[in-house]
Amino acid sequence: MTKSPNRLLATVFGAVYLLVGLLGFTVTGGVGFFATDGGLLLGLFEVNIFHNVAHLLIGAALLIAGLSNVRAAKSVNITVGAAYLLLGVVGLFLPGQPFNILAINAADNVLHFASAAVLLAVGIGADKGVRTATV
Amino acid sequence: MTTTQLVEPAAPSAAPAHPAVIGQIARTWLGFAAMGAGMVHFALVITAPPALAAVLLLLGLAECGWGIATFARERLIAPRIARLGALLPVVLWSLLVVAATLLDAPALAASLTLLPMAVATALDLFVAVVLSRVLQRADADLRPRAAVAPSAGRYLIGLMAGATVVAALVTPALAGTEAGRLAQPHGQHDADFVPAPADDPSLDGLFLPEHGAH
């Protein structure tokens, strides 16, 4: 695992997102599943229960891929990175809207863009000899 | 008796003896720098007059495209053309400023705000300097150093350091453009708030928080 940047990144990010997903439940007591106003994680990142579940699923996918093999890690890094990039762009228009079902705020957007940049850069740029899995 | 044989000198080869080789971490920095400069040039499009907007759009597309290709491909894509392309924005910007001064027409260069253009230029110059060093090594017929792949941890730390520096430069640059000013999170304002007249007695003792979003 320590020889592949994709596996290392997927494992580290997977563990971090799982932790963030679990910690999110400590600030979402009394918050609705799709509530547009959530609790503040670390006093900064707004989350609701749906957002926590998304973090848990993404963390699990990254961790499993990172612990599996390079091909899986590379594929999941690119897929999750692209999804975060899309969410980052869409998220710019979501705060304050009634359909903000992930309770996204500006700090979330920064984190989503940063995650997208790192996941996509490593997914596309590292382990070039390995082809990504096709669906 | 000796014969003299005329031997035509070999034509100088256009291609360097060795391909342009660059380390994996430095390549990620080049990619991030090119994409950062491209994003800033994109953001300046909306306030530029049409001709200048077209140039900025093309520059942004070229920089972002080359940046992504630098990540995705094994070798640097057209490093000589890329080096020229990286120097083009600063040359054009300088010419425009000189023309605006000579013609006493400040509006000519007014749309190219100082901070965003300075950041984009710094990133482009970084690309040009790194490419020059890589090409110098290839042109000097130096045997390229064996491409020692960094460890995964070192690669990730290098990549994140590059991303952090570029983000720290590009974020204030984008905020300094009209596109950045339009992207303020107005969605978080309370649309139901209606200010009361200042002399309204019902406001006595009422605490109103400072509005500091702008």
Side-chain angles (χ1 to χ4, degrees):
Chain A
M1 185 178 77
T2 52
K3 287 184 179 173
S4 162
N6 272 291
R7 289 190 67 186
L8 185 60
L9 182 75
T11 306
V12 172
F13 266 39
V16 168
Y17 269 107
L18 272 180
L19 187 65
V20 166
L22 290 172
L23 283 177
F25 286 103
T26 63
V27 295
T28 47
V31 173
F33 195 86
F34 293 116
T36 55
D37 289 320
L40 287 180
L41 188 58
L42 304 175
L44 203 60
F45 304 104
E46 195 171 353
V47 289
N48 61 12
I49 296 176
F50 183 40
H51 202 143
N52 292 335
V53 172
H55 280 160
L56 287 176
L57 292 175
I58 287 167
L62 284 165
L63 190 60
I64 291 168
L67 294 174
S68 301
N69 55 58
V70 181
R71 192 167 173 231
K74 195 171 160 76
S75 304
V76 174
N77 283 346
I78 292 174
T79 307
V80 173
Y84 267 136
L85 184 63
L86 183 67
L87 184 62
V89 174
V90 173
L92 292 174
F93 304 95
L94 285 179
Q97 301 296 325
F99 42 84
N100 184 10
I101 56 171
L102 280 164
I104 285 175
N105 67 356
D108 288 327
N109 282 329
V110 173
L111 196 66
H112 291 157
F113 275 125
S115 298
V118 173
L119 287 166
L120 282 174
V122 175
I124 294 171
D127 301 313
K128 288 205 176 66
V130 180
R131 297 186 67 174
T132 52
T134 50
V135 181
Chain B
M1 188 176 156
T2 56
T3 56
T4 307
Q5 197 174 3
L6 290 173
V7 179
E8 267 190 61
S13 168
H18 297 294
V21 174
I22 188 168
Q24 283 185 29
I25 295 174
R27 186 175 29 205
T28 65
W29 294 349
L30 274 188
F32 280 132
M35 285 193 281
M39 280 192 280
V40 175
H41 285 142
F42 271 140
L44 288 166
V45 165
I46 58 168
T47 47
L52 190 57
V55 174
L56 287 167
L57 189 66
L58 287 176
L59 279 174
L61 278 174
E63 287 162 335
C64 286
W66 189 83
I68 292 168
T70 301
F71 274 113
R73 303 290 292 269
E74 279 290 348
R75 289 169 186 255
L76 289 173
I77 311 296
R80 287 169 203 283
I81 298 170
R83 181 175 54 177
L84 275 179
L87 292 173
L88 196 62
V90 67
V91 173
L92 292 177
W93 185 31
S94 308
L95 288 175
L96 202 62
V97 171
V98 170
T101 309
L102 290 178
L103 299 173
D104 199 18
L108 208 57
S111 61
L112 300 180
T113 334
L114 178 64
L115 178 66
M117 280 305 289
V119 168
T121 300
L123 293 172
D124 276 334
L125 286 178
F126 171 76
V127 172
V129 168
V130 173
L131 286 178
S132 290
R133 292 211 50 178
V134 169
L135 288 168
Q136 198 178 22
R137 181 176 294 277
D139 287 342
D141 204 19
L142 292 174
R143 184 187 169 85
R145 280 184 219 160
V148 181
S151 69
R154 201 172 158 208
Y155 174 80
L156 289 181
I157 290 170
L159 182 141
M160 287 190 197
T164 306
V165 171
V166 172
L169 288 169
V170 169
T171 306
L174 289 176
T177 65
E178 188 62 20
R181 279 187 282 275
L182 290 173
Q184 290 285 341
H186 286 96
Q188 290 185 358
H189 288 215
D190 184 1
D192 298 328
F193 176 73
V194 179
D199 54 354
D200 186 342
S202 66
L203 290 178
D204 289 345
L206 182 66
F207 172 72
L208 291 175
E210 285 290 322
H211 180 98
H214 293 279

